[in-house]
Amino acid sequence: MMIKCSFCGMQFTEEQGHSACGSCPLSNCKLIKCPNCGYESIPEPASLSFFKNLFSKKKKT
Ligand SMILES: [Zn+2]
């Protein structure tokens, strides 16, 4: 699975993104880190909408 950094536009593999985030204190960190600029992104668009729903629910209540 190839990931394109939305910040600098560099394309890298999911594996490369995980190893770039190797120093992360969270062992089960799901974020993908760009090896070029260090920009962190969430690999699946589905999880992004999950967080969006979570925040919109919190705002209303
Ligand atoms: Zn980047």
Side-chain angles (χ1 to χ4, degrees), residues 10-60:
M10 184 187 174
Q11 286 193 322
F12 53 95
T13 63
E14 194 177 354
E15 201 172 56
Q16 281 178 304
H18 279 305
S19 58
C21 195
S23 58
C24 183
L26 299 169
S27 55
N28 60 344
C29 179
K30 295 283 199 300
L31 289 176
I32 298 289
K33 201 169 196 176
C34 174
N36 186 45
C37 69
Y39 180 82
E40 284 178 335
S41 56
I42 299 164
E44 286 173 56
S47 52
L48 197 77
S49 59
F50 169 76
F51 279 116
K52 270 186 180 175
N53 287 340
L54 202 78
F55 283 124
S56 59
K57 266 185 184 175
K58 264 192 175 180
K59 256 189 175 179
K60 277 178 183 175

